[in-house]
Each structure stands twice: as C-alpha cells, then as structure tokens.
Amino acid sequence: MTFGSSTIMTIKNRRFEKVWYYLFKTFLCIRYYGDLLMDKFFSMYYDSKREFLPKLKNPIVLESASSLAKKIRERELKSEDIVQAFIDRIKEVNPIINAIVDRRFEAALKEAKQIDQDIANGKIHEIDFKNKPFLGVPFTSKESTAAEGLSWTFGLIKRRGRKATFDADCVSSMKQAGAILLGVTNIPQLNLWQETSNPLYGLTKNPYNTTRNVGGSSGGESSILAACGSPIGIGTDIGGSCRIPAFMCGVFGHKISNNIVNLKGLTYRTGEEKDTMVSVGAMTRYAEDLLPFIKALAGPKADELKLDMPVSIKRLQVYYITNPKDPLMSPFRPEIHAILLKAVKHLEEVCSKKPQELVFENLKYQYKLWKYWLSLENTNFKNDINDKEGEVNAITEIIKHFTIGGDFTTATIFNLINGYLKPVDSSWAIETTLNLRESFLSKLDDNSVLLYPSSSFPASYHHTALLRPFNFDCFAIWNAMKFPVTQVPMGLGSEGLPLGIQVVAAPNQDRLCVAVAKQLESAFQGFVPPVIVFDK
C-alpha cells in the first residue's frame, strides 16, 4: 500500500501536533508543581512573620455605604459617629497593613459634625439626600488620584512631599455626592505593577494574611476596605488595577465603561485624553453600593449607562470561558476553576436560558494585545518616573538597582527592562484585537454577560509576582477590549484567602455586570470580613 505526498505530510503534521501537545502538557505540569514549590519556599520565610488584625469593636464598620447613608437620612446614626468609627478602625489596622498613607481625620470629623448640625437644624431636606446619595458617609481614594491637600507622589522619590492642590474629577464627584474623604491609600510606583509597594511608603499587606500580596495598583484601597477601615473607595484601572486588588482582598471592583468618568487628576492625566484604556473604578464591600457609586462617579454621563433600567436575571443569556489557555500565565488551581463553574451552575438554575461556553483561540495572546495598546497610551515611562523632567537612562538605573541601589522598585526596573523587548507588531495587534472584540460583541448585547476567571490562584506571597509577571493577563485583556467588568468576591478558599470571578458586559452595559454581581453575592457570600468577632 502506498501513500501520496499530501497524505504523508498529513501524518507528519498529526505526529508533530501530538508531540507538541504532550510537550505542552508536560510544561504545564512542571510549571504547576513549580508554582507550588515556589510557594512552599516563600512560606518558609514569611509564615513566621504573619500578623493578625485586631478584633472589630464597632459594628458600624461592617455596614455598607448605602446602609449608612440610609441611617443618616432616617436619623438612626450621626455622620460624626460613623466617621469616628472608621477613623478608629484605621488607627487599629493601619500599623499592620500599611494601607492609608495620608489622612485628613480632623477635617473629616469637622465636615461630619456640620452635616449632623444641618440635619438637626432642618437645613438639609429630602431633596438634599436625593441629590447627595452618600451624604455623611466616609470614603477613601488612591494616592495617585489628586485629593486637595493630600499626598500625590505616585510613589516616586522625586515627588517626595508633594501634595495635590486640587481634587481629581472623580474625587470631586464623590464630594458632591456628600461623601467625606478620610485619606489616600498606597500604590505601586506610578501604578504600573500588580503589588503595592514603593520606596516612600513601603509595602501594603493583605488583611486576610499579612504575608500575602494585595495586588495593584489600587492595593491600598482594597486592603483598607477589606480591613473595614473604609466602606467604599475610588480605584483606577488600566490593566486590572482596580480588579486585581479587589480579587486578592475579597471586595467588589468595577471597571466602569470607558469615556464615562473624566480622568483629570489621575497621575499626569489632564482629562483631555482620547481613546485610552484607563477607566475609573468603583471599589466596595457590598454589591448594593456599586450602582449608586458608579452613578455618582459618572455624573452627567450616568444616563449613558442606563443604570436605573431594571435587569431581569431570569432572561439573561450567560456565557462563560473557563480557561483562555494563555501560555504566559501560571496554570489555574482547581479551586479557581471550581468557583467559576459553581457560578455557572447557579445561574443555570436561575436563568431561563442555559449558559453557553465560549472558546476563542486568540485569548492566548492576552498580554501581547494589552502590551500593544499600552504602548499607544501617549505616555513616556522613562520620563514619567523622572517626574517628567527628562528620560532616565534605563541601563544606568538597571545597573544601579542591582548594585548600589537606586530610586526605583524592582517592579519599575522590570518595566524598564520590558521596554527593551521586541515591540508587538501593530498590524497584527490591531487586526487581532478587532477580530476578538467583534467575536465578543457578536455574543454580548444588552441582555447578556460573560463569566471569566480572575487569576490562576488566590493572593500569593509578597514579591512572588516578580517571578510570575503575567498572571494579571485575565484582567488586562478587558482593558484592551474596553469592556466594563465587575470583579465579584465569592467567599474564601482552602487557605482562607478570597476567591472570585469576573463578570463582563458589552460597553455601557455596566448595569448587567452589577445585577449578576448582586445575584452571585446572594448565593456565594461575597465579601467575608477577615475579622468577624467583636470585642465587648
């Protein structure tokens, strides 16, 4: 029996594909157990250094922002008592977790007292509460987002002591909504890393386990929210900066649809930027706070999101992706897969339409696509880390860092090194992004959502992100797509660390993400405080 050349080639190709399949499976296996071994190694150093948060003393700090606003409105609680409760909690936990880096406690209490006085004197009416949904409720914001009179250094030594002279538009919007700013929270240098640490303010720790990462760049926000030091906080998101910390610290993080919230006051941004991946993020402990928070941040553009339009969970079409098969990421741990499939199963029971699994091959390029669009952000990293006073010499800074030390973190040096790697082909990136976006939009409309994994495993030990730098890819892809996303906490895993998934929707369909987040919260615990026992 003889074979033609085309048949022989087909047989060879199949053999090659089979060999490649087993080689890749072997690689994944080695990497999976390599990750476990790495964690074991780091645990030998860190576990003895673990600290525990003090017990809660005041039940006020466990309430949602919406509940607190309601109690102020109905004269059940005073704003001053609420603000004082959160200040007391910050003083208890901040020496341990290092989340708040600058504060305005006296001014916040003064504002709260004035609100209480105006309510008692009848100067505040029902219409005022309606126009100011967070009247008398405290909040926090990240240090890189301008808040007048507070630190605005971006974690750069060259900006040491710098204070903001104005409020970013998003901070101003929250103040207009009646909220009272308590302080600003820690970030990585210039925000561009997935762990929160800088030479000015040091390392921020995870309230669930202080040996673990809080994520970045809104890591200080997620940490203080989870520790019950703030009810809600403003984050930002260019590559998962709001959702990575929300995942690691077990809170909600919503990346608002692009071009809704003005970006003025976010690091060097002027608010005039067009076609950017950056979005403001709403960070909360409870899903009920998301819609009013998003509405307050969106201001006059809130109507574009149709946040008041009812969502029927029963009628929703749910899609899901279990694994983007991104070779740069660590293999997913079983509990990460399990929690996503539990969410799918639950929605299958609630929705009239059966959830459908999607597979898109181009998702394996998550990082490359994000990296390309990041290169178009009209920023200059080497100039920005020098406070826009000229580009640093990358080679000099890299050598200094690994010899005598310098002004930048290892993460910043990593980003400098990354600048020397081969750039992503623009034609390929544009075509692949458009094709992938069109594929998603062919499924996602005004009545459908996508469930997507968050990370390969829960919060890892401090600094291990440097050895696994691409594990943020599942977050970053949605910045490249410019879709709204809610990071949803789904209770705690085997090590007592938060689990979660992402809920994705089409542009300006944020309300769908939030509706599903509420549904999942009711079924899977949502936020679980790291400390639940009250002292008498």
Side-chain angles (χ1 to χ4, degrees):
M1 184 176 182
T2 58
F3 297 96
S5 58
S6 60
T7 304
I8 293 172
M9 285 300 296
T10 300
I11 293 172
K12 287 182 177 179
N13 288 337
R14 286 176 179 172
R15 286 176 178 171
F16 175 78
E17 289 172 1
K18 192 172 183 178
V19 170
W20 173 249
Y21 171 81
Y22 283 113
L23 284 174
F24 187 64
K25 281 289 187 180
T26 302
F27 165 76
L28 291 179
C29 183
I30 292 171
R31 189 167 183 192
Y32 180 85
Y33 287 102
D35 279 332
L36 293 177
L37 185 63
M38 186 189 304
D39 289 343
K40 185 66 177 177
F41 175 78
F42 275 84
S43 73
M44 295 167 64
Y45 173 78
Y46 277 116
D47 283 357
S48 63
K49 300 178 182 296
R50 182 177 180 180
E51 299 177 82
F52 294 87
L53 300 190
K55 298 175 181 179
L56 296 172
K57 297 176 181 178
N58 193 328
I60 284 176
V61 299
L62 267 180
E63 298 210 29
S64 69
S66 298
S67 172
L68 294 172
K70 183 174 183 289
K71 290 184 176 182
I72 292 172
R73 183 172 68 250
E74 296 178 352
R75 280 67 167 175
E76 293 181 29
L77 284 175
K78 290 185 177 181
S79 175
E80 180 184 359
D81 293 335
I82 293 170
V83 170
Q84 186 65 61
F86 282 100
I87 289 174
D88 291 343
R89 184 60 180 167
I90 290 172
K91 289 179 178 179
E92 289 177 334
V93 301
N94 208 55
I96 298 172
I97 60 174
N98 188 37
I100 299 283
V101 296
D102 200 4
R103 60 194 196 181
R104 56 185 302 277
F105 291 166
E106 290 184 8
L109 284 169
K110 184 177 179 180
E111 291 171 14
K113 289 178 183 178
Q114 186 62 57
I115 288 172
D116 291 334
Q117 185 177 336
D118 288 346
I119 291 174
N121 294 339
K123 292 183 179 180
I124 293 178
H125 304 92
E126 194 60 35
I127 187 65
D128 297 307
F129 284 110
K130 184 177 180 180
N131 293 333
K132 297 178 182 294
F134 293 114
L135 186 64
V137 176
F139 78 104
T140 44
S141 181
K142 61 194 295 186
E143 197 263 7
S144 55
T145 299
E148 185 175 4
L150 296 179
S151 179
W152 199 40
T153 68
F154 317 154
L156 298 173
I157 287 178
K158 201 157 191 177
R159 290 178 65 93
R160 186 191 299 273
R162 191 81 56 89
K163 303 281 186 178
T165 57
F166 68 100
D167 284 331
D169 277 19
C170 55
V171 172
S172 178
S173 294
M174 285 304 291
K175 289 183 177 180
Q176 290 172 23
I180 298 173
L181 182 64
L182 293 178
V184 291
T185 53
N186 206 20
I187 59 167
Q189 264 189 339
L190 206 62
N191 288 323
L192 287 175
W193 193 242
Q194 46 195 303
E195 176 152 24
T196 295
S197 179
N198 64 68
L200 292 183
Y201 295 116
L203 176 72
T204 297
K205 300 175 182 179
N206 195 311
Y208 292 89
N209 186 329
T210 58
T211 70
R212 304 302 179 103
N213 182 7
V214 298
S217 61
S218 307
E221 274 307 303
S222 64
S223 181
I224 201 61
L225 260 66
C228 302
S230 177
I232 53 176
I234 300 175
T236 59
D237 204 308
I238 191 174
S241 303
C242 162
R243 291 162 289 133
I244 299 170
F247 168 73
M248 292 189 176
C249 292
V251 298
F252 290 88
H254 179 78
K255 182 182 88 67
I256 301 173
S257 286
N258 291 73
N259 302 315
I260 294 295
V261 183
N262 190 279
L263 304 180
K264 181 182 178 182
L266 276 59
T267 56
Y268 298 114
R269 295 184 180 267
T270 65
E272 301 298 321
E273 293 82 6
K274 304 295 182 184
D275 199 30
T276 173
M277 289 195 295
V278 177
S279 174
V280 171
M283 303 182 71
T284 72
R285 295 177 298 170
Y286 303 101
E288 70 173 346
D289 289 335
L290 286 173
L291 279 184
F293 196 176
I294 296 167
K295 187 181 292 187
L297 290 170
K301 285 197 169 187
D303 290 343
E304 295 183 27
L305 302 181
K306 301 177 182 178
L307 298 174
D308 294 325
M309 181 180 293
V311 176
S312 172
I313 296 293
K314 184 176 181 179
R315 294 178 56 198
L316 276 181
Q317 174 64 66
V318 175
Y319 299 98
Y320 65 99
I321 293 174
T322 58
N323 190 342
K325 298 182 180 179
D326 183 338
L328 297 178
M329 292 183 65
S330 295
F332 287 97
R333 302 270 170 91
E335 62 183 353
I336 296 296
H337 273 309
I339 202 66
L340 190 144
L341 293 177
K342 284 181 180 179
V344 172
K345 179 66 175 176
H346 172 74
L347 292 172
E348 183 176 2
E349 296 171 355
V350 173
C351 301
S352 58
K353 300 175 184 177
K354 185 177 181 179
Q356 297 180 22
E357 184 172 9
L358 301 178
V359 176
F360 294 129
E361 184 181 354
N362 284 337
L363 282 173
K364 65 184 179 182
Y365 301 119
Q366 292 179 129
Y367 175 73
K368 288 181 68 176
L369 296 176
W370 177 79
K371 181 182 178 181
Y372 171 74
W373 293 106
L374 182 67
S375 71
L376 300 187
E377 280 292 318
N378 196 28
T379 60
N380 182 331
F381 185 71
K382 289 188 286 187
N383 188 33
D384 288 348
I385 60 174
N386 198 34
D387 198 25
K388 289 191 174 295
E389 294 182 4
E391 293 187 9
V392 300
N393 186 307
I395 298 297
T396 300
E397 294 301 332
I398 292 168
I399 293 172
K400 280 171 57 179
H401 180 79
F402 292 108
T403 54
I404 62 173
D407 291 347
F408 305 116
T409 62
T410 303
T412 299
I413 296 300
F414 176 91
N415 285 321
L416 284 174
I417 294 171
N418 194 35
Y420 285 100
L421 301 181
K422 182 181 178 180
V424 179
D425 179 78
S426 60
S427 298
W428 172 87
I430 292 170
E431 181 181 359
T432 304
T433 301
L434 290 176
N435 289 340
L436 190 54
R437 198 170 193 271
E438 288 173 4
S439 296
F440 280 117
L441 290 176
S442 70
K443 301 292 184 180
L444 297 176
D445 52 24
D446 62 358
N447 195 49
S448 55
V449 297
L450 170 72
L451 305 187
Y452 201 71
S454 297
S455 185
S456 302
F457 37 75
S460 57
Y461 287 98
H462 292 302
H463 308 302
T464 57
L466 290 164
L467 303 174
R468 301 179 279 212
F470 304 107
N471 281 355
F472 77 111
D473 289 4
C474 281
F475 298 100
I477 186 62
W478 302 115
N479 296 90
M481 294 294 106
K482 297 183 179 175
F483 288 178
V485 192
T486 302
Q487 171 59 44
V488 181
M490 301 275 286
L492 305 182
S494 58
E495 295 183 273
L497 296 168
L499 301 175
I501 65 170
Q502 297 183 86
V503 180
V504 185
N508 290 9
Q509 303 298 328
D510 300 55
R511 71 188 187 283
L512 301 181
C513 297
V514 175
V516 174
K518 287 182 178 180
Q519 180 66 35
L520 294 175
E521 179 186 46
S522 67
F524 297 98
Q525 293 184 285
F527 168 68
V528 179
V531 179
I532 61 175
V533 180
F534 292 95
D535 280 337
K536 295 182 179 179

